[in-house]
């Protein structure tokens, strides 16, 4: 017999339901008992085959690394970092998910050499070696200390990323506000993203850097010198074009995403090669 004692009734119910779902009627589930008033999940001796306990251990591992993991993330956010708002917590947890799924390679590098899975499984195998009764919370406290520290590291890095994203959103909104009611100096601008970024007017004639510099509204650089890119963003904001044709090989590049976020529906992204076709066509018509 194995008996797992939980600190709360909710945890006992969560594990019981997860265990039944994981076993999926392959075994006699009548021998798995939930004793709600004592917060206990009991697995009776009559079904204690090797394969059965392998499935129980798998379910227990999933309960830790999927169900309880999210509870612990929220607990860490609340108690260690004082993020109590559920919406804020969820946004930070979404960042953690994206790191774990490899969507943020710049952040994933901090966790490349950390593999907690085998450690958790070894701890589970140890506690299930014989018929036992054990406290889940004691198991976590003494056997999963390094795992909880690992989760805390995820939370710390994700909070930093969350703060940066919040600052970025404030920055973007500030620049959108700057555009409101601003008269365009050019209706149409063509932007070519190559080794350098080149501006062109509606006739696909290059706008020289010296001319762009003269067009820049100095209030942008004085009020926001750290954030505003004087090569691209400042001229675009100062010109405030109605339409921006943006030619690029990589539509996901950070600067392009920033231009998209600031100018929104004004931006039309085009394939890089199309610029040269349009340029050649324009040259022929003006020859």
């Amino acid at each position: 017999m194995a008996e797992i004692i939980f600190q709360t009734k909710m945890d006992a119910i969560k594990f019981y339901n997860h265990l039944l779902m994981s076993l999926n009627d392959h075994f006699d589930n009548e021998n798995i008992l939930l004793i709600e008033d004592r917060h206990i999940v009991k697995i009776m001796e009559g079904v204690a085959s090797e394969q059965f306990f392998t499935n129980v251990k798998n379910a227990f591992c999933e309960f830790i690394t999927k169900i309880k993991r999210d509870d612990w993330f929220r607990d860490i956010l609340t108690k260690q970092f004082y993020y109590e708002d559920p919406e804020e917590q969820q946004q930070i947890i979404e960042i953690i998910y994206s790191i774990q799924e490899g969507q943020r390679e710049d952040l994933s590098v901090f966790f490349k050499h950390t593999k907690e899975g085998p450690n958790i499984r070894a701890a589970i195998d140890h506690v299930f070696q014989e018929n036992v009764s054990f406290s889940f919370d004691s198991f976590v406290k003494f056997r999963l200390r390094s795992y909880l520290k690992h989760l805390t590291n995820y939370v710390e890095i994700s909070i930093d990323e969350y703060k940066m994203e919040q600052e970025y959103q404030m920055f973007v909104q500030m620049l959108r506000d700057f555009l409101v009611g601003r008269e365009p100096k050019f209706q149409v601008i063509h932007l070519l993203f190559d080794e350098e970024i080149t501006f062109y007017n509606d006739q696909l004639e290059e706008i020289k850097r010296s001319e762009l510099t003269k067009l820049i509204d100095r209030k942008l650089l004085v009020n926001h010198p750290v954030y505003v890119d004087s090569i691209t963003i400042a001229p675009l904001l100062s010109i405030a074009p109605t339409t921006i044709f943006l030619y690029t090989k990589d539509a996901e590049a950070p600067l392009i995403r920033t231009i998209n976020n600031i100018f929104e529906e004004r931006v039309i992204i085009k394939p890089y090669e199309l610029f040269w076709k349009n340029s050649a066509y324009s040259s022929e018509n003006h020859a």
Side-chain angles (χ1 to χ4, degrees):
M1 179 186 72
E3 190 176 83
I4 307 173
I5 307 161
F6 293 87
Q7 188 172 14
T8 68
K9 181 169 73 172
M10 182 58 69
D11 275 351
I13 293 171
K14 281 182 180 179
F15 177 62
Y16 175 75
N17 290 335
H18 179 71
L19 183 55
L20 292 184
M21 184 182 66
S22 299
L23 296 178
N24 197 25
D25 297 327
H26 291 307
F27 298 92
D28 186 359
N29 294 342
E30 291 181 2
N31 288 291
I32 300 171
L33 304 178
L34 171 65
I35 307 172
E36 284 193 40
D37 59 335
R38 293 170 58 198
H39 315 161
I40 291 174
V41 175
K42 183 178 289 189
I43 302 155
M44 306 303 290
E45 291 181 4
V47 292
S49 68
E50 183 178 345
Q51 183 58 50
F52 176 78
F53 269 108
T54 296
N55 284 274
V56 169
K57 288 188 284 186
N58 288 341
F60 191 51
C61 187
E62 285 185 350
F63 176 71
I64 289 168
T65 58
K66 293 183 180 178
I67 297 171
K68 284 303 297 178
R69 178 197 61 181
D70 287 2
D71 291 342
W72 289 325
F73 279 145
R74 287 183 171 84
D75 197 49
I76 292 165
L77 282 164
T78 301
K79 294 180 179 178
Q80 295 188 37
F81 298 99
Y82 310 106
Y83 282 88
E84 298 180 0
D85 182 78
E87 186 175 335
E88 274 195 314
Q89 288 183 355
Q90 189 56 39
Q91 289 181 47
I92 294 167
I93 290 171
E94 290 295 334
I95 293 172
I96 295 172
Y97 291 157
S98 67
I99 297 171
Q100 292 176 331
E101 292 165 5
Q103 297 172 14
R104 297 177 183 244
E105 292 183 5
D106 55 327
L107 300 180
S108 298
V109 69
F110 295 108
F111 303 98
K112 278 188 175 179
H113 303 296
T114 306
K115 295 183 179 179
E116 285 294 335
N119 296 336
I120 295 170
R121 190 60 203 228
I124 292 171
D125 287 341
H126 181 82
V127 82
F128 275 97
Q129 277 180 352
E130 55 187 40
N131 294 341
V132 292
S133 173
F134 67 92
S135 160
F136 177 74
D137 289 84
S138 294
F139 171 78
V140 171
K141 182 177 179 181
F142 295 107
R143 297 279 183 178
L144 300 185
R145 190 175 300 164
S146 65
Y147 178 62
L148 293 181
K149 184 178 179 181
H150 181 58
L151 297 186
T152 302
N153 290 340
Y154 265 115
V155 171
E156 286 177 332
I157 287 173
S158 298
I159 285 173
D160 288 342
E161 186 69 8
Y162 173 72
K163 288 178 178 177
M164 289 176 61
E165 289 183 1
Q166 292 298 104
E167 290 176 3
Y168 174 77
Q169 291 303 326
M170 290 173 62
F171 160 69
V172 167
Q173 187 57 53
M174 173 192 71
L175 298 186
R176 286 176 184 163
D177 293 343
F178 179 86
L179 281 172
V180 174
R182 192 173 180 86
E183 287 294 322
K185 294 180 179 178
F186 292 89
Q187 290 294 329
V188 175
I189 285 289
H190 295 262
L191 274 185
L192 178 65
F193 275 69
D194 208 330
E195 292 180 4
E196 295 182 352
I197 298 165
T198 311
F199 284 65
Y200 295 85
N201 63 20
D202 59 341
Q203 301 297 314
L204 294 180
E205 298 165 337
E206 182 179 347
I207 304 173
K208 298 297 183 183
R209 182 57 55 185
S210 57
E211 185 178 348
L212 288 173
T213 302
K214 292 176 185 176
L215 292 171
I216 292 175
D217 188 325
R218 296 299 155 187
K219 288 185 292 185
L220 275 171
L221 302 182
V222 171
N223 296 336
H224 314 289
V226 176
Y227 298 106
V228 178
D229 162 32
S230 62
I231 302 299
T232 308
I233 301 296
L236 277 177
L237 287 165
S238 302
I239 294 169
T242 305
T243 305
I244 301 169
F245 290 101
L246 200 157
Y247 303 84
T248 180
K249 297 175 183 177
D250 180 11
E252 294 302 314
L255 181 55
I256 291 174
R257 280 192 277 114
T258 296
I259 293 171
N260 246 329
N261 289 334
I262 296 169
F263 292 89
E264 301 178 294
E265 71 279 355
R266 303 188 193 198
V267 178
I268 300 171
I269 295 179
K270 298 283 189 180
Y272 173 83
E273 296 78 11
L274 187 60
F275 174 82
W276 299 109
K277 291 180 182 178
N278 291 343
S279 180
Y281 178 78
S282 178
S283 298
E284 288 174 5
N285 285 348
H286 287 86

